[in-house]
Amino acid sequence: MDSHFDEELKKVKQDILRLAAMVEESITKALEALKKRDPELAKSVQEIDREVDKLEMSIEETCIELIARHQPVGSDLRFLIGVIKMNNDLERMGDHAVNISTTINFLVDQPRIRPVIVWSMARVVKEMLQESVESFMNNDAVRAQKVCEHDSVVDEMRDETIRILLTHMLEEPEKISSAMSYKMVAKNLERIADLTTNICEDVIYIAQARVIKHHAEAGGKKNG
C-alpha cells in the first residue's frame, strides 16, 4: 500500500508541474499578445485557461481523496496540503493572465505608448514563477526563500510603472486610455508575483514544516 501511495503522490506532483507549465504558457502568450497587439493570440490565453480550470479541479479532488483514503501524516500530509494551496494559486495566476489578455482588443485602436518598466516587470515576474517551480521540484526551501525576497522588487517596479503612466496621462491626454490599460497590466503582474510568493511559502512549509506566511515566525503581519 505504501508503494502505491508513493506512486499516487508522484502523479500529483507531475500534475501540479503540468499545471504550472500551462499557467506559465498562458502568461507568456498574454504578454506576447500585448506586445504585438494580437487579438487572436489573446484568444488562445482564454483557451488555455479553460484547460487550467479543468486540471485545477482534478488535482484538488485527487488530493482530498488521497487525504481521506490514506490519512497521511508528517511530510506526506504537508505535501498534499501544500499542493492544494499551490493549485489554487496557479489557477488564480491563470485568471490574471486572462485579465492581461483582455486589454488587447481595447488597445488595438488606441495610441501607442512605451511602458518600458512593464516589460522589465514582466521579466522579473516570469523568472520568479520559474524559480518557484524549480524550488518545488527540488524541495528547495532556500531557493524558495530567495524568490520571496523578490516580491518587494516587483512592488517597487509596479509603483514606478504607475508613476510613469501618470506622467503620460498628464503630458499626453490622448493616451490616457492606453495608460490606464497598462496600469491594469502592471497590477495583474504584481498579483502574479504575490501568488508566486505564496507558492514559495508553501514550498518552505512542505520542506521544513515552517510557516512564514504573513511573517508568522516573527509574530508580525505582512503588509499589503
Side-chain angles (χ1 to χ4, degrees):
M1 186 178 71
D2 287 345
S3 175
H4 180 60
F5 183 44
D6 287 343
E7 288 302 313
E8 289 178 307
L9 292 179
K10 286 179 184 176
K11 175 65 166 55
V12 169
K13 188 170 186 177
Q14 289 169 357
D15 284 346
I16 198 75
L17 291 173
R18 183 156 60 94
L19 181 65
M22 290 166 64
V23 169
E24 187 175 347
E25 181 186 5
S26 69
I27 294 168
T28 298
K29 285 192 172 182
L31 292 167
E32 187 179 348
L34 179 65
K35 189 171 283 189
K36 295 179 177 178
R37 297 195 177 197
D38 185 338
E40 288 304 312
L41 190 55
K43 283 182 185 177
S44 71
V45 176
Q46 297 178 26
E47 291 167 5
I48 295 171
D49 191 58
R50 284 191 284 272
E51 295 305 312
V52 165
D53 290 345
K54 289 178 187 176
L55 184 54
E56 185 261 343
M57 287 188 289
S58 173
I59 291 171
E60 182 171 297
E61 289 171 3
T62 299
C63 288
I64 291 171
E65 181 194 345
L66 289 175
I67 291 171
R69 184 150 45 90
H70 294 284
Q71 299 183 4
V73 296
S75 61
D76 289 340
L77 180 59
R78 290 200 308 273
F79 172 77
L80 288 169
I81 291 172
V83 166
I84 289 171
K85 293 163 68 182
M86 289 172 61
N87 190 43
N88 179 255
D89 287 334
L90 285 166
E91 188 274 332
R92 289 166 65 196
M93 285 187 211
D95 290 343
H96 287 294
V98 170
N99 290 346
I100 291 170
S101 73
T102 59
T103 64
I104 282 74
N105 286 331
F106 177 76
L107 280 170
V108 165
D109 300 320
Q110 297 299 316
R112 285 186 175 272
I113 57 176
R114 296 183 61 195
V116 178
I117 300 293
V118 166
W119 305 119
S120 299
M121 188 178 176
R123 178 178 52 77
V124 173
V125 170
K126 286 182 66 180
E127 287 173 357
M128 285 177 67
L129 177 55
Q130 289 163 0
E131 285 292 302
S132 71
V133 173
E134 287 288 330
S135 68
F136 172 70
M137 284 178 62
N138 299 304
N139 207 33
D140 189 341
V142 173
R143 193 170 191 171
Q145 183 74 52
K146 289 179 180 177
V147 177
C148 292
E149 291 164 5
H150 277 82
D151 189 45
S152 60
V153 174
V154 174
D155 289 345
E156 290 170 5
M157 295 179 87
R158 174 207 57 203
D159 293 343
E160 178 66 6
T161 297
I162 291 173
R163 186 189 66 75
I164 291 170
L165 290 171
L166 287 172
T167 301
H168 275 296
M169 289 188 234
L170 289 170
E171 295 179 352
E172 303 172 280
E174 71 277 9
K175 295 183 178 179
I176 287 176
S177 294
S178 294
M180 290 298 292
S181 293
Y182 280 107
K183 181 181 176 184
M184 189 187 87
V185 169
K187 287 188 173 182
N188 277 279
L189 286 171
E190 187 264 336
R191 285 300 299 133
I192 292 171
D194 285 345
L195 293 166
T196 299
T197 300
N198 288 354
I199 288 176
C200 290
E201 290 170 348
D202 293 334
V203 170
I204 292 167
Y205 169 71
I206 292 168
Q208 300 181 340
R210 286 196 299 124
V211 177
I212 66 167
K213 204 172 188 69
H214 306 309
H215 296 213
E217 291 184 322
K221 186 175 180 181
K222 183 179 177 181
N223 292 324

